[in-house]
Amino acid sequence: MIILRTVYYFGKNYFGYSSSIWNTYLPPILSGIISFLIAYFIFWKGKKQEIKKEEERLNELEEYFFAFFESLNKVIEEQVVNFVDFSHLLRDQKDQDYILGSKSSLKNKRILAFDEKDLFKIFVNRKIGDAKKKNKHLRNHQDQIDLITEIYKESKDNFKTFNNKMDLYQMGWNESLKRLSEIYDKIYNDTIKINPDLNEETDKFFTTYCKLSKKVSDKKREANDVNKEALYFNEFLIPAKKLCEQNISDTRAVNLKECIDYCIIAYNWNKKNFEFYRGYFINAARKLNQAKILMNNELKYFRNLSKKQ
């Protein structure tokens, strides 16, 4: 209004009230100034409201950010336990289903739902401190998130690969046992035909082999909560192979040893498979826990930053 009053008195003193110039140009000039001021006021008010809304949004996002990663800590801890428990299953190799506990909250899409530009505004632009240092801590935090999601994805892939390899092993193991059983039955039937009174005096090799087979079969049937394949390997396959080698001049021993060797190869192949993935999941648990610790260190740093006034 001061500006308008100044313009008015300037025109009055310079042109006079009756001036046609003054009467012609004053109204549109005043109208333009008033329109500009009104438009500017509306723009300024809208901008102020926009800034306020953005500030409220970032405040809410910051609060949600810390709450989300606080809850994620518990999920990571549970996944670490799942990895360790699964490694114990692989160590024990008991008759059981090999199931890996999986926390879907560690999926890439959910964790990375935070826009990096928003995080930069919250923790770099709005907080007191050296910008380069704050940006470095933010980058370190994001790196740990990337690592956590990568460990989770990789563990799912490795679990699938482990199961595929175990299925192949099981086929090989079952086939080798079937072949050994068939050879044993044939040799037994042929031997009984020739020697109905089978005993150690008349046929020490095959009588010892039969007793060894029956002894292990009884143990497997009575055993609970043990690795029956390891039991069969240690208490039958290895002693039986040694027995066959001691009687290698006997054709029956040669045929049985050949089947036993296939069983031993299948067993050792699977044992190495179990040992490899047991080591992998132990290491995955360690790396996941370390990533959680580093992530929390960065969160603690951001919590301690003061907001700019």
Side-chain angles (χ1 to χ4, degrees):
M1 296 305 294
I2 296 175
I3 296 175
L4 296 178
R5 191 179 297 115
T6 302
V7 172
Y8 173 78
Y9 284 114
F10 172 78
K12 174 184 176 182
N13 296 327
Y14 189 82
F15 295 105
Y17 285 112
S18 61
S19 172
S20 61
I21 297 176
W22 182 245
N23 291 333
T24 301
Y25 290 104
L26 178 60
I29 291 174
L30 293 178
S31 177
I33 293 174
I34 293 171
S35 297
F36 171 78
L37 293 175
I38 292 173
Y40 180 80
F41 174 76
I42 294 173
F43 169 80
W44 176 80
K45 187 177 181 180
K47 192 67 177 177
K48 189 175 181 181
Q49 290 177 341
E50 184 181 320
I51 293 172
K52 183 180 179 182
K53 287 182 180 180
E54 175 67 1
E55 190 70 13
E56 291 174 350
R57 186 184 73 85
L58 293 177
N59 287 337
E60 292 176 357
L61 185 60
E62 180 179 354
E63 185 178 344
Y64 174 68
F65 177 86
F66 285 117
F68 174 83
F69 283 103
E70 184 176 340
S71 65
L72 187 67
N73 261 304
K74 297 178 182 178
V75 174
I76 294 174
E77 289 170 2
E78 291 173 2
Q79 189 61 58
V80 168
V81 172
N82 288 339
F83 286 160
V84 173
D85 288 346
F86 188 70
S87 73
H88 290 166
L89 292 179
L90 300 183
R91 176 196 63 195
D92 299 336
Q93 295 184 45
K94 299 174 183 177
D95 290 341
Q96 60 199 334
D97 293 327
Y98 293 95
I99 299 175
L100 172 65
S102 179
K103 308 302 293 185
S104 60
S105 299
L106 295 179
K107 286 182 179 179
N108 190 312
K109 290 182 180 179
R110 183 172 179 182
I111 295 184
L112 299 182
F114 294 96
D115 190 301
E116 290 190 10
K117 292 181 180 179
D118 285 336
L119 296 180
F120 188 87
K121 291 177 184 178
I122 294 171
F123 297 115
V124 178
N125 290 346
R126 302 200 315 164
K127 301 292 184 179
I128 297 174
D130 181 72
K132 288 185 178 180
K133 185 177 181 180
K134 290 183 291 184
N135 192 45
K136 180 181 178 181
H137 280 281
L138 183 59
R139 188 65 262 164
N140 289 342
H141 175 266
Q142 294 300 99
D143 287 344
Q144 298 311 313
I145 297 303
D146 291 341
L147 178 59
I148 289 170
T149 56
E150 180 60 30
I151 292 172
Y152 175 79
K153 180 181 180 299
E154 189 181 74
S155 70
K156 298 279 287 183
D157 293 340
N158 275 280
F159 175 67
K160 183 178 180 180
T161 303
F162 162 76
N163 277 307
N164 290 338
K165 288 184 176 180
M166 189 173 67
D167 289 342
L168 290 174
Y169 149 76
Q170 201 65 48
M171 290 173 58
W173 172 253
N174 291 337
E175 187 62 32
S176 62
L177 291 180
K178 180 182 177 183
R179 178 61 179 162
L180 178 60
S181 177
E182 290 172 349
I183 292 295
Y184 170 78
D185 289 343
K186 184 178 186 307
I187 290 175
Y188 180 83
N189 292 331
D190 292 345
T191 302
I192 289 298
K193 288 179 183 179
I194 300 172
N195 184 10
D197 299 323
L198 183 64
N199 56 60
E200 289 189 4
E201 293 182 2
T202 59
D203 194 337
K204 185 176 181 180
F205 160 67
F206 198 62
T207 300
T208 304
Y209 186 94
C210 292
K211 287 182 177 179
L212 186 62
S213 178
K214 185 177 184 306
K215 180 182 177 182
V216 173
S217 296
D218 292 341
K219 275 191 174 184
K220 285 177 65 180
R221 186 166 51 252
E222 296 170 0
N224 294 315
D225 199 35
V226 297
N227 182 350
K228 293 184 178 181
E229 291 180 0
L231 174 67
Y232 189 75
F233 176 83
N234 292 317
E235 299 200 24
F236 176 72
L237 290 179
I238 297 303
K241 179 179 180 179
K242 185 177 180 181
L243 177 65
C244 290
E245 289 173 342
Q246 292 170 346
N247 296 271
I248 202 66
S249 59
D250 190 324
T251 304
R252 297 171 303 174
V254 174
N255 293 334
L256 287 169
K257 180 181 177 299
E258 182 180 0
C259 295
I260 290 171
D261 284 340
Y262 281 119
C263 292
I264 290 175
I265 290 172
Y267 177 84
N268 285 332
W269 188 89
N270 188 58
K271 184 179 179 181
K272 289 180 180 179
N273 185 46
F274 271 71
E275 288 175 349
F276 174 82
Y277 285 101
R278 175 174 177 261
Y280 166 79
F281 281 101
I282 289 175
N283 191 47
R286 181 190 61 79
K287 290 197 298 182
L288 189 59
N289 188 60
Q290 182 64 22
K292 184 201 73 171
I293 292 172
L294 294 176
M295 179 190 74
N296 286 334
N297 288 341
E298 301 304 334
L299 290 174
K300 183 178 179 181
Y301 168 81
F302 287 120
R303 283 186 184 277
N304 291 333
L305 290 177
S306 299
K307 187 177 178 182
K308 293 178 180 177
Q309 298 300 323

